[in-house]
Amino acid sequence: MGNRFQVQDRFAAGAQYIGGQLRAGTSGRTHAVVNPATGEEIYQYELAGTADVDDAVAAALAAYPGWAAATPAGRSEAMHRFALVLAEQAEDFAYVESLQCGKPIKLSAEFDVPGSVDNTAFFAGAARHLEGKSAGEYSGDHTSYVRREPIGVVGSIAPWNYPLQMAAWKVLPAIAAGNTIVLKPAEITPLTSLMFAQAAKEAGIPDGVINIVSGAGKDAGEHLVGHPDVVMTSFTGSTPVGKRVAEIATSTVKRLHLELGGKAPFVVFDDADLRAAVHGAVAGSLINTGQDCTAATRAYVQRPLYDAFVSGVAELMETVRLGDPFDPSTDLGPLISHTQRDRVAGMVERARAYARVVTGGEAPGGDLAKGAYYRPTLIADAAQDSEIVQEEIFGPVLVVLPFDTDDEGIALANDTPYGLAASAWTHDLFRANRATREIKAGCVWVNDHIPILSEMPHGGYKASGFGKDMSAYSFEEYTQVKHVMFDNTAVAEKDWHRTVFGDR
């Protein structure tokens, strides 16, 4: 794949995609996209400046009337073609996603890309089902109905952990509802977002409907969020940055959707299938090298299973194969950068003072030393209020704590500022129902952890943000609900007028 897809050639014109054309940024600063598995530069480009953001918003604004006026069937047909183009280019997308992120190719090819194709196909169909409340005579004298209308130009910001999927999650519901969009991907991973927009053009989606500005958050990102012609902002990223986005958006009275950090609990009750829980914990904590805000990060295990769970997870983690992301046998790739690897390592090193590192806790040597690799790590015996339990790690690290009663297990699961995802492991229907009811998270899995579906919503509670990606629920973020009311009486002097003037 790599021999026939040259990144520098594909994006030679620049990393800004505005009005259907690639072009160079105007910030006066360059940025390098680096392969985190090797430390090698794969692409260098000029970052977007505020003028590029202005141009992208102007392109989206110009395209909006035509796209908004298209019939649902017309938008749906274009998006079905979009899904087909993505499927045809699946190998290239998987290759570039692994190249810029360090993801194992089996994850890119079997999770990221198929998920994005499916998401596109889902929203192609959902575009035809933007319905409001049926018409009815709710007052007796009037007929009322509800219209769902697009809101205008959306300005979205996506993170670096799933660049392709996050581009899809931001773009697809927005354009399916008839909006146009300017997306700012993370400047360290812009490539598949650019390819996504190019594929949309190939499918016949009009120029200006999807625009990409590749720039830094302080410059391009903040200018996009504060732009007067942007009516809605959707942001996925850390909670601290999300607070800044909210400050800017609310100061200009924008609609806002935030999907922020997570610290997902993995609650194992004493009747759980231990083997299933062990395998689920390793997969759920190590997916995407732990760089997933829904990843299992805190395992709470009822005391009768605690020791066996710790030893089972440690043993299975030690079989995980680190290596070249393009080797089909590689299980775990590098973190996104050496900076992120060092941040994760720092948290683990500080935890040694108050907890036990059961396995891992180090970067590998040898051929992998030049990449941002870190071994799968299991930590036990930490206190609930410790940094390693409370703060988002975003790396291949799982912390395990015991609990005694069901009340304690659920209380511990809820004892962080976050509430994005969680899982409960039990064969007891009543325990499972209680856990799904009482754990404060936007998604609670039972006897599994991580699977997502295009048909189901994704979003959090508490410091994990608000609003939904994916599913028909996401249209709540991207549509305006309008009440339309018709008088049915043809009476000029209505009885209610007398509450304002005159007598009965």
Side-chain angles (χ1 to χ4, degrees):
M1 288 184 288
N3 291 333
R4 63 182 179 83
F5 191 106
Q6 297 299 322
V7 170
Q8 197 70 47
D9 293 341
R10 172 70 175 263
F11 304 111
Q16 317 306 323
Y17 188 80
I18 299 171
Q21 299 296 325
L22 286 174
R23 68 183 219 190
T26 61
S27 70
R29 294 182 294 120
T30 59
H31 187 82
V33 178
V34 174
N35 179 350
T38 64
E40 296 174 352
E41 180 181 309
I42 58 174
Y43 179 61
Q44 188 174 92
Y45 69 96
E46 293 78 20
L47 288 163
T50 57
D52 302 305
V53 174
D54 290 342
D55 288 350
V57 173
L61 195 62
Y64 173 70
W67 185 246
T71 64
R75 290 197 294 267
S76 176
E77 183 180 350
M79 293 182 70
H80 275 299
R81 292 195 302 268
F82 189 10
L84 292 174
V85 172
L86 293 173
E88 290 166 359
Q89 298 176 8
E91 281 196 359
D92 284 344
F93 273 99
Y95 169 74
V96 177
E97 196 76 331
S98 288
L99 189 67
Q100 68 177 353
C101 299
K103 295 173 185 280
I105 192 66
K106 65 180 181 180
L107 181 67
S108 294
E110 298 177 32
F111 182 74
D112 296 62
V113 175
S116 299
V117 173
D118 182 74
N119 213 225
T120 308
F122 169 81
F123 278 106
R128 302 184 75 155
H129 296 281
L130 278 164
E131 298 173 349
K133 185 177 286 189
S134 299
E137 285 70 50
Y138 298 99
S139 78
D141 291 336
H142 306 82
T143 296
S144 288
Y145 66 88
V146 170
R147 290 175 57 88
R148 279 197 180 273
E149 297 178 350
I151 56 176
V153 176
V154 175
S156 293
I157 300 176
W160 47 256
N161 57 336
Y162 290 102
L164 176 60
Q165 290 205 75
M166 293 298 99
W169 287 16
K170 300 303 181 196
V171 168
L172 296 171
I175 68 170
N179 304 292
T180 56
I181 187 168
V182 178
L183 173 71
K184 192 199 86 66
E187 64 268 31
I188 59 176
T189 56
L191 301 178
T192 47
S193 297
L194 294 167
M195 293 169 63
F196 190 72
Q198 290 176 316
K201 179 171 182 169
E202 289 182 44
I205 292 176
D207 292 346
V209 172
I210 302 172
N211 305 275
I212 309 292
V213 288
S214 305
K218 284 287 185 182
D219 303 321
E222 293 198 0
H223 190 63
L224 177 62
V225 173
H227 199 288
D229 290 328
V230 170
V231 298
M232 184 261 186
T233 290
S234 177
F235 171 81
T236 296
S238 71
T239 297
V241 178
K243 290 178 180 178
R244 174 60 180 157
V245 169
E247 289 173 0
I248 299 170
T250 53
S251 70
T252 54
V253 199
K254 283 182 173 50
R255 188 177 293 202
L256 183 62
H257 164 221
L258 298 174
E259 198 264 272
L260 307 176
K263 191 71 180 174
F266 185 102
V267 184
V268 182
F269 294 97
D270 57 14
D271 68 320
D273 182 325
L274 178 63
R275 184 168 180 270
V278 165
H279 280 75
V282 173
S285 63
L286 299 185
I287 185 170
N288 203 38
T289 317
Q291 299 168 125
D292 186 314
C293 44
T294 63
T297 60
R298 300 177 289 139
Y300 296 103
V301 183
Q302 208 151 22
R303 207 169 293 275
L305 295 183
Y306 180 75
D307 290 339
F309 180 88
V310 170
S311 61
V313 169
E315 183 179 345
L316 191 55
M317 276 187 170
E318 288 165 5
T319 69
V320 172
R321 299 162 295 187
L322 283 69
D324 176 2
F326 293 103
D327 183 337
S329 67
T330 292
D331 298 320
L332 197 74
L335 288 116
I336 192 64
S337 66
H338 285 83
T339 299
Q340 179 66 11
R341 193 272 310 276
D342 293 345
R343 178 185 174 278
V344 171
M347 294 184 76
V348 173
E349 288 308 305
R350 290 191 294 276
R352 292 183 190 277
Y354 56 79
R356 173 168 58 102
V357 178
V358 181
T359 189
E362 63 181 6
D367 291 342
L368 298 182
K370 60 188 176 182
Y373 289 88
Y374 196 76
R375 294 195 185 283
T377 299
L378 180 65
I379 295 175
D381 307 331
Q384 174 67 13
D385 62 356
S386 61
E387 177 193 46
I388 205 76
V389 174
Q390 291 292 324
E391 299 298 324
E392 191 171 31
I393 302 170
F394 232 55
V397 180
L398 177 64
V399 184
V400 188
L401 298 88
F403 70 93
D404 291 302
T405 67
D406 289 16
D407 288 351
E408 182 189 9
I410 291 174
L412 290 169
N414 285 328
D415 184 29
T416 71
Y418 300 105
L420 187 59
S423 62
W425 298 74
T426 177
H427 284 142
D428 187 310
L429 176 63
F430 297 98
R431 269 178 163 168
N433 276 334
R434 182 187 178 189
T436 59
R437 185 173 63 249
E438 296 186 12
I439 293 176
K440 304 304 181 188
C443 174
V444 181
W445 293 284
V446 177
N447 296 327
D448 208 344
H449 194 108
I450 285 296
I452 55 174
L453 297 166
S454 296
E455 291 86 354
M456 290 291 110
H458 177 86
Y461 285 34
K462 304 189 293 185
S464 292
F466 48 82
K468 300 298 180 185
D469 287 308
M470 299 199 299
S471 83
Y473 289 98
S474 66
F475 286 135
E476 300 300 324
E477 318 302 328
Y478 297 100
T479 56
Q480 185 68 260
V481 174
K482 177 187 286 185
H483 171 214
V484 178
M485 178 181 271
F486 287 87
D487 169 59
N488 292 332
T489 67
V491 174
E493 298 180 16
K494 295 180 169 55
D495 187 58
W496 76 265
H497 293 174
R498 302 305 180 263
T499 64
V500 182
F501 64 91
D503 300 317
R504 289 187 182 279

